Amino acid sequence: GIEIQFFSGKGKDNQRGGNAKKELLEVIPKKAINILTGNPNSIVVVIPDLYPKNIGFPHTTYDELKAGIINQFEQELTKKGIEDHRLKQRFKVFCYKYDLEALVLASETQLKTRL
């Protein structure tokens, strides 16, 4: 009874790959709010890569990346006039580690099938 969906950034010219990190960092907080307000049982997890650093906003560490994404999420909540702070508890930020990133990029179809 659990559904998992994957959303990837498209980058320039709506093509997968390339430098889609800036789009990911700008779009995911907005999309997360729509998902979280539309389904009270949902959890949104964003797992960007740390590299390249300083894309979208200044960050060189995971903690700075996480704080920046959460800050953008909170700004979007404010813009939409949403004061339900429980949404923040259902918005999770992690960072890709090299081994996991390699696995997902190399075996995306197999991973989706397994999940």
Side-chain angles (χ1 to χ4, degrees):
I2 295 174
E3 177 181 355
I4 298 174
Q5 294 182 0
F6 291 90
F7 301 97
S8 60
K10 296 296 182 189
K12 192 173 183 179
D13 298 326
N14 209 26
Q15 297 295 314
R16 184 167 172 207
N19 186 1
K21 183 175 180 178
K22 184 175 182 194
E23 178 198 349
L24 177 79
L25 298 179
E26 292 174 350
V27 171
I28 289 300
K30 295 174 189 174
K31 185 174 272 198
I33 291 169
N34 291 337
I35 292 169
L36 295 170
T37 56
N39 182 346
N41 296 316
S42 62
I43 297 172
V44 174
V45 177
V46 58
I47 312 174
D49 192 342
L50 180 60
Y51 299 98
K53 297 176 180 179
N54 296 315
I55 299 293
F57 51 82
H59 64 278
T60 58
T61 67
Y62 162 67
D63 289 332
E64 292 171 347
L65 177 62
K66 180 179 178 180
I69 294 171
I70 290 172
N71 182 50
Q72 289 186 309
F73 180 77
E74 290 172 345
Q75 287 179 14
E76 289 299 322
L77 286 174
T78 300
K79 283 182 192 176
K80 292 184 177 232
I82 299 172
E83 295 184 23
D84 186 351
H85 296 286
R86 294 173 297 175
L87 296 179
K88 288 190 242 180
Q89 296 171 349
R90 297 178 16 236
F91 182 66
K92 310 293 183 186
V93 180
F94 299 99
C95 187
Y96 264 132
K97 299 293 182 188
Y98 301 110
D99 295 342
L100 177 59
E101 182 179 14
L103 174 64
V104 172
L105 293 175
S107 306
E108 182 178 353
T109 303
Q110 291 84 350
L111 180 62
K112 283 182 181 179
T113 301
R114 174 76 174 147
L115 293 174

